[in-house]
Amino acid sequence: MVAVGADVLSVDSLNCVGTMADPCEEGWDQSWTGTYYRLMPGTSMSCPITAGATAVFYEFFNDVYGSLPSPALAKAAMINGAVDIIGTGFPDYDQGWGRINLRNSIEGPTGGEIEFIDQDVVTPLVTGASWTHNFTVSSSSVRLKITLVWTDPPGVAGSEAPLVNNLNLLVTAPDGTVYRGNQFTGAWSTADATGTDSVNNVENVFVQSAVTGSWTIQVTSANTGQNPPNL
């Protein structure tokens, strides 16, 4: 994901830590911001914005559901709520899964709903096993976004198949149309595409105009090297 990384105003240290020559001149010289603040660019600012937004999501989830989300669920929520800022679709080398949008990650799209499914209610998947979840789409005017994330243990260094647990996401519409994880044409999932993603522990299905009725999500383990995957 991406977040704002230019002209970000944030708190500054009273004990500046900068270059060896002048420890208070790191970053942009914006003396007008005052003693306690500084304008800074780059990932040094966008990463804290993302971390802070995710911390707010943790607080929301704990307040509403009475427990902290797993790291996989928090990551899935932030990816699911992200928005396309370039118009080239997903995933994109310039924006990844898009710019973070905390409101979308918590409330879902405007006029729509959001559902969180954490590891505690997901049956451990051995190789070849599947987990299925049904849900209803009541309006085709709201986009449908389904995000699967699992915490994968470290793979073997230099391996051409880095995933230890390889899961596949498959979503079936009421009319039988099938959407597979990370099979995209532009910003939206390709209908009835073939093939699976065997290199990422994030899989998405995005449908621009979802058919109303009962939909099915199926998560299947192509390989479980360490059971259970932390979904």
Side-chain angles (χ1 to χ4, degrees), residues 150-162:
W150 66 97
T151 301
D152 207 48
V156 178
S159 172
E160 294 182 359

Side-chain angles (χ1 to χ4, degrees), residues 130-145:
S130 296
W131 171 84
T132 301
H133 176 69
N134 297 314
F135 65 98
T136 300
V137 171
S138 57
S139 173
S140 59
S141 64
V142 181
R143 68 186 184 274
L144 173 64
K145 300 181 72 175

Side-chain angles (χ1 to χ4, degrees), residues 30-191:
Q30 299 285 355
S31 58
W32 59 268
T33 58
T35 304
Y36 305 107
Y37 302 95
R38 180 181 290 259
L39 279 172
M40 286 283 288
T43 54
S44 294
M45 305 308 287
S46 60
C47 286
I49 287 175
T50 304
T54 306
V56 173
F57 176 81
Y58 269 84
E59 182 180 25
F60 146 76
F61 196 91
N62 188 53
D63 287 346
V64 174
Y65 298 100
S67 63
L68 292 175
S70 68
L73 176 60
K75 181 177 179 179
M78 300 307 291
I79 290 173
N80 190 271
V83 296
D84 186 355
I85 59 174
I86 298 177
T88 55
F90 304 107
D92 180 87
Y93 284 111
D94 293 320
Q95 65 174 342
W97 291 110
R99 175 180 58 79
I100 60 171
N101 185 313
L102 183 59
R103 181 179 293 274
N104 283 353
S105 295
I106 290 176
E107 298 180 354
T110 301
E113 299 178 357
I114 191 167
E115 181 179 5
F116 304 105
I117 302 175
D118 211 348
Q119 58 181 351
D120 291 341
V121 295
V122 176
T123 303
L125 297 178
V126 297
T127 301
S130 296
W131 171 84
T132 301
H133 176 69
N134 297 314
F135 65 98
T136 300
V137 171
S138 57
S139 173
S140 59
S141 64
V142 181
R143 68 186 184 274
L144 173 64
K145 300 181 72 175
I146 299 170
T147 302
L148 167 69
V149 175
W150 66 97
T151 301
D152 207 48
V156 178
S159 172
E160 294 182 359
L163 287 181
V164 175
N165 298 317
N166 179 15
L167 307 182
N168 292 319
L169 174 64
L170 186 146
V171 180
T172 305
D175 61 4
T177 303
V178 171
Y179 300 92
R180 298 182 185 277
N182 292 357
Q183 305 298 310
F184 286 92
T185 301
W188 306 104
S189 293
T190 306

